[in-house]
Every structure is written in structure tokens, then in C-alpha cells.
């Protein structure tokens, strides 16, 4: 396989787009099921795949199309229904399946949907494997599909939710309970709307649920980790100890302390890192984060005698670096937190439980315990462009180098193209907020002018 083949379908987190519009069509899902089924048919045993989804209306369209594709490739299909992405990753591994599939567009609105795949080890597929699948999808596979006697079957896993609830609960130290804690939980009308409230309730918490009435259209609408205002208001209204906001597929989490103030993924990472390090449970001498994580987190981790390793944006790349470096904690500022002792991908519920464990053991309020470092001023703006990316132009490179020189060791500049849209993301952070505003504004103007001239 030529690794230089450009991927057209797969992005940073599977395939994603507007439902019933290319590429997010039933025809594509059928072809994907056939191609992935053929690629992961290795050996003489009866091969099996599990399919989970979130609560979008279009899941009813894509699920049967994928099922038909896998069955025509000779794979047995296990249907799990609406379940968090980390639950499907966990079940793929624990049931010894050949493949796991999640139908979800994560934090996107209901009009979008997506498909992401997990290998037998519960990890997201590599870029190279996705390229192989995409190459197969471009071929005529009719001669390679299963004969009538070798077609797969479909069945439903009736205890899927219970299996995940028990796995999440087991991530807490033995004997630790949440009795006496009042928790507001916003499930974004998404995949965790049943399992997350059940897990917290079974652990003894008083749960005030939000976003647990999915109707196919309201996933992530003014709810969940990308719209936490109602979470913060509910925490104050109910006098809660903590607010937890998941996104549509529950692989990310944002928290609110008892004062209704947001706690982002960087603070969560820092808190868990310090706790695990103090207990001797942090492996690899550090943590993994992306280029977007705040410089304040990097300095905080260094103060613990640890190292922060950065990757490009995407929790898949964080997970890959964790495996390569032997590290068991990583994540993103957006709320993806990967604790590889318990999960192979971001798991919002498991991450929230680790924070709750710290609160229970310390007896501290969330506002005191969960703000482990002062974030440096950070500013991110987007510049839209048409045609080729302007980042290769000599005067753009010169402007970026000059900005980096102005900041020196007191901050950093990050310029990168979006992986999903024709946007240049311009970010800078440092100790002087005025200087950061000036640098980001200047770079955005320079890039925008270059784009106008190119047009």
C-alpha cells in the first residue's frame, strides 16, 4: 500500500459529513462495511463486528446499511444500540471481536453523522489501515464477497449497557462511593443518556439529569460539553457539588465546580496527573496532550518532575503516542481524557469518576481541588481561505518567525490548517495578553491579505 495515497473519506476521526449527502450516504456505509469486513477477515474463524451509535435520526439509516455490508462480507454483526464511543471500544476488546464501529458525529449537530472504527485491540484504526479500507472501497468487490452459505448474521447484545456501566464503575478504587454528593449530569441528549446517570446513581450520588430526552434531533443542541451554560446554571440552582457535561458520544467531558465555573480538559488532565503521580500509578514519567493544550499545563506538569509530550490535534494521535511512550494518561483541552488503565479511547464518564474520586478522598470543594494551575492567556482565531493553503508563502513564514521571536521563551505561536475545513487556525499564548492579541491579529491580517491576493 502506498502510504502517500491521499485519503478522501477519512478525516482525523473517521468519516464525517451531513447525513444523506455524500459522503455520509447509505451507499457509502454499505461499501465501507464490505471493505472493512473483507480487510478484517483474517483466519478461518467466524468473524464478528459490533456496531453502536448515538441518538441521531440518521443512525437508523446508516446502521442497517453498515450491517448489510458486513453481512455480505461474511461477518456476523452484533448490534449494541445507543452507547458511548468508549463502550464500543471496550466491548470490541472484551468480547474478542474483530472490529468495532461507532455511528456518531460526536459533538456536531444532528444533521451530521459519522463512522469511526476500532480494531480488535479496541484502538482506533491507524491512518495506514484507513487508507487500505478506502482503497478497497474504490474497487469492485463483487467477486470477493461471501457466497450465500457464508453470509453473516445479525443479533442484538441485550446486556451491552450493563457491561459498560460495570466497567466504568470499576475504574474507581475499590470501596470508594459517591454517597452525599449532588451531581448535575448533562448527557447532551446523546449516547450516554441512560448509562451515565445509572452509573453515578449506583455509586451513591444524587443525580440531577439534563439532556436525557433524545428525540433524534436535539443531540448537542444547547447542551453537553460544547454548550455548558445550562450545566453551570443548574449547578448553582441545585447547590450541586459538581457538574458533568458529556458530548453526543460521551468520549469527552467538561466539568463545572460548585460555583458554576467551567473546568476544561487541561485542568482535568493536570488534576488526574498529580493524583496518579502521588499514588505511584502514573506510567512513563509524563502525560500526552496536543499542541492546543495550555502552556500553563506544561509548566505545571514540569513542576511535578514530569514531562508533557505534545501531538497533533486528535485523540487518536494522543492514544498512539501514549502506547509508543508507555504512558497511561493523555488528552485534549476539549475534554478528551484517555486513561489507558481503563479505556483505549477518550471516556468522559471514566474521567469524571477519577475527578470525583479526588474530591471524595480530599474532602475539598471542586473550586479548590480542580484548579491546579493558572492558564496563560491563549487566543485562537480562524482565517478562511480558497484554493491552496497560504502557509507555504515565504512572507507568511517570515511573519510567523517574527511572531515567535517576539514571544521568545514566554509563550508560543501555533499556526495550522484545519483537518476538516478550509481554515487556517492561528493561536498564540503567553504571559502578556496584550501582546498575544496583537500577534494573533497581525498574523490573521497577513494571512487574510495573502488569501485575497491569491483569489
Amino acid at each position: 500500500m502506498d502510504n502517500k495515497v491521499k485519503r478522501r473519506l477519512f478525516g482525523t476521526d473517521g468519516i464525517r459529513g451531513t447525513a444523506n449527502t455524500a459522503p455520509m450516504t447509505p451507499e457509502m456505509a454499505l461499501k465501507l462495511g464490505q471493505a472493512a469486513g473483507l480487510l478484517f477477515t483474517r483466519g478461518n474463524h467466524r468473524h464478528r463486528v459490533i456496531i453502536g451509535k448515538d441518538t441521531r435520526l440518521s443512525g437508523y439509516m446508516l446502521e442497517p446499511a453498515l450491517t448489510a455490508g458486513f453481512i455480505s462480507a461474511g461477518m456476523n454483526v452484533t448490534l449494541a444500540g445507543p452507547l458511548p464511543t468508549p463502550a464500543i471500544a471496550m466491548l470490541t476488546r472484551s468480547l474478542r471481536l474483530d472490529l468495532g464501529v461507532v455511528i456518531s458525529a460526536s459533538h456536531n449537530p444532528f444533521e451530521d453523522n459519522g463512522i469511526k472504527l476500532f480494531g480488535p485491540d479496541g484502538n482506533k484504526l491507524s491512518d495506514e489501515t484507513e487508507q487500505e479500507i478506502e482503497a478497497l472501497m474504490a474497487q469492485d468487490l463483487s467477486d470477493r464477497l461471501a457466497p450465500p452459505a457464508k453470509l453473516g448474521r445479525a443479533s442484538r447484545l441485550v446486556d451491552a449497557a450493563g457491561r459498560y456501566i460495570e466497567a466504568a464503575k470499576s475504574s474507581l478504587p475499590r470501596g470508594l462511593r459517591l454517597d452525599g454528593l449532588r451531581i448535575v449530569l448533562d448527557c447532551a441528549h446523546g449516547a450516554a443518556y441512560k448509562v451515565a446517570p445509572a452509573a453515578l446513581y449506583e455509586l451513591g450520588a444524587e443525580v440531577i439529569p439534563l439532556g436525557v430526552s433524545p428525540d433524534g434531533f436535539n443531540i448537542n443542541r444547547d447542551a453537553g460539553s460544547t454548550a455548558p451554560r445550562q450545566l453551570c446554571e443548574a449547578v448553582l440552582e441545585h447547590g450541586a457539588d459538581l457538574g458533568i457535561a458529556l458530548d453526543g458520544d460521551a468520549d469527552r467531558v467538561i466539568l463545572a465546580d460548585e460555583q458554576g465555573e467551567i473546568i476544561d480538559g487541561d485542568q482535568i488532565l493536570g488534576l488526574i496527573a498529580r493524583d496518579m503521580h502521588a499514588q505511584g500509578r502514573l506510567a512513563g514519567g509524563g502525560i500526552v496532550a496536543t499542541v492546543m493544550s495550555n502552556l500553563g499545563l506544561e509548566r505545571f506538569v514540569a513542576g511535578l518532575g514530569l514531562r508533557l509530550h505534545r501531538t497533533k490535534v486528535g485523540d487518536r494521535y494522543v492514544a498512539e503516542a501514549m502506547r509508543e511512550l508507555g504512558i497511561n494518561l493523555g488528552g485534549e483541552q476539549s475534554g478528551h481524557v484517555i486513561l489507558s488503565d481503563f479505556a483505549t479511547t477518550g471516556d468522559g464518564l471514566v474521567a469524571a469518576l477519577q475527578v470525583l474520586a479526588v474530591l471524595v478522598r480530599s474532602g475539598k470543594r471542586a473550586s479548590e481541588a480542580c484548579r491546579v494551575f493558572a492558564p496563560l492567556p491563549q487566543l485562537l482565531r480562524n482565517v478562511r481561505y480558497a484554493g491552496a493553503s497560504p502557509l507555504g508563502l515565504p512572507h507568511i513564514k517570515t511573519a510567523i518567525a517574527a511572531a515567535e521571536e517576539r514571544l521568545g521563551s514566554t509563550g508560543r505561536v501555533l499556526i495550522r490548517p484545519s483537518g476538516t475545513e478550509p481554515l487556517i487556525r492561528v493561536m498564540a499564548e503567553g504571559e502578556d495578553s496584550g501582546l498575544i492579541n496583537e500577534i494573533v491579529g497581525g498574523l490573521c491580517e497577513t494571512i487574510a491579505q495573502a488569501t485575497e491576493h491569491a483569489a
Side-chain angles (χ1 to χ4, degrees):
M1 179 70 193
D2 183 0
N3 289 335
K4 295 182 180 179
V5 173
K6 184 176 181 180
R7 300 187 301 172
R8 295 179 300 106
L9 290 175
F10 287 92
T12 56
D13 196 19
I15 302 171
R16 193 174 294 189
T18 302
N20 217 24
T21 302
M24 223 57 237
T25 63
E27 292 84 0
M28 181 280 295
L30 174 71
K31 196 77 172 179
L32 175 63
Q34 291 174 335
L38 290 172
L39 185 63
F40 279 82
T41 298
R42 302 164 178 174
N44 297 320
H45 66 283
R46 171 56 78 177
H47 292 74
R48 300 183 297 158
V49 56
I50 188 169
I51 300 177
K53 60 182 180 178
D54 62 24
T55 56
R56 295 164 210 271
L57 179 64
S58 54
Y60 291 107
M61 173 185 73
L62 297 171
E63 182 184 56
L66 277 166
T67 300
F70 284 117
I71 287 175
S72 71
M75 268 194 170
N76 282 353
V77 178
T78 298
L79 299 171
L83 270 187
T85 287
I88 298 303
M90 179 273 292
L91 289 167
T92 302
R93 184 170 58 172
S94 68
L95 295 175
R96 297 179 65 188
L97 305 182
D98 298 281
L99 200 59
V101 182
V102 176
I103 304 170
S104 174
S106 190
H107 58 280
N108 286 26
F110 94 94
E111 295 92 342
D112 294 339
N113 216 328
I115 301 172
K116 40 194 170 187
L117 297 93
F118 294 86
D121 56 1
N123 290 304
K124 291 181 180 178
L125 302 185
S126 66
D127 289 345
E128 292 74 21
T129 301
E130 289 179 344
Q131 286 175 349
E132 291 184 67
I133 292 173
E134 192 161 332
L136 280 173
M137 292 174 69
Q139 300 174 21
D140 180 0
L141 303 177
S142 55
D143 292 338
R144 299 178 57 181
L145 298 177
K150 295 290 182 70
L151 292 172
R153 301 172 184 265
S155 61
R156 190 161 294 277
L157 183 61
V158 294
D159 64 341
R163 284 173 178 257
Y164 172 68
I165 289 170
E166 289 305 314
K169 286 162 56 179
S170 69
S171 70
L172 281 179
R174 184 178 298 275
L176 191 145
R177 300 273 302 170
L178 305 180
D179 299 280
L181 287 177
R182 178 177 293 178
I183 300 169
V184 175
L185 174 65
D186 185 349
C187 297
H189 301 295
Y193 77 102
K194 287 185 177 179
V195 294
L200 292 175
Y201 174 80
E202 291 175 16
L203 287 166
E206 177 187 349
V207 182
I208 299 155
L210 303 174
V212 291
S213 303
D215 60 12
F217 305 97
N218 59 1
I219 186 170
N220 298 315
R221 184 194 297 162
D222 300 321
S225 63
T226 54
R229 188 177 73 174
Q230 71 163 347
L231 175 80
C232 298
E233 292 173 350
V235 166
L236 294 174
E237 178 186 350
H238 295 279
D241 298 290
L242 190 71
I244 300 170
L246 306 172
D247 68 337
D249 69 335
D251 66 349
R252 67 166 74 179
V253 62
I254 294 296
L255 304 177
D257 65 23
E258 80 283 357
Q259 299 175 359
E261 299 295 327
I262 291 296
I263 302 162
D264 69 10
D266 281 348
Q267 295 286 354
I268 295 170
L269 270 176
L271 174 68
I272 297 175
R274 184 176 64 185
D275 185 60
M276 291 178 64
H277 182 54
Q279 296 181 55
R281 296 192 296 114
L282 191 67
I287 67 172
V288 178
T290 75
V291 291
M292 296 304 296
S293 279
N294 195 275
L295 188 58
L297 173 63
E298 185 171 345
R299 293 179 177 180
F300 171 75
V301 169
L304 297 175
L306 305 169
R307 181 178 174 186
L308 186 145
H309 302 266
R310 292 186 184 268
T311 71
K312 57 184 177 180
V313 173
D315 67 320
R316 176 162 57 114
Y317 303 114
V318 172
E320 288 175 356
M322 289 170 63
R323 292 194 297 273
E324 292 171 3
L325 298 168
I327 288 173
N328 59 351
L329 175 63
E332 298 188 279
Q333 189 182 69
S334 61
H336 287 118
V337 178
I338 304 173
L339 292 121
S340 60
D341 292 342
F342 311 115
T344 55
T345 188
D347 191 323
L349 176 58
V350 167
L353 287 174
Q354 308 316 301
V355 174
L356 286 165
V358 173
L359 298 184
V360 170
R361 287 198 305 264
S362 69
K364 294 180 179 179
R365 306 290 282 173
S367 59
E368 180 184 1
C370 297
R371 301 193 188 286
V372 296
F373 68 90
L376 270 68
Q378 187 182 76
L379 181 62
L380 170 66
R381 289 184 186 167
N382 297 320
V383 181
R384 188 169 294 274
Y385 66 92
S389 168
L391 293 185
L393 297 175
H395 74 285
I396 299 293
K397 292 181 178 180
T398 299
I400 294 172
E404 291 173 336
E405 186 174 351
R406 288 185 70 189
L407 276 178
S409 60
T410 66
R412 63 191 182 101
V413 175
L414 176 66
I415 316 292
R416 67 181 183 88
S418 166
T420 57
E421 301 176 85
L423 297 174
I424 301 298
R425 304 199 189 280
V426 180
M427 190 273 282
E429 63 179 344
E431 297 168 355
D432 185 337
S433 59
L435 179 59
I436 295 303
N437 282 315
E438 185 179 327
I439 284 175
V440 170
L443 286 173
C444 286
E445 184 177 350
T446 302
I447 293 171
Q449 289 175 350
T451 301
E452 290 172 5
H453 291 155

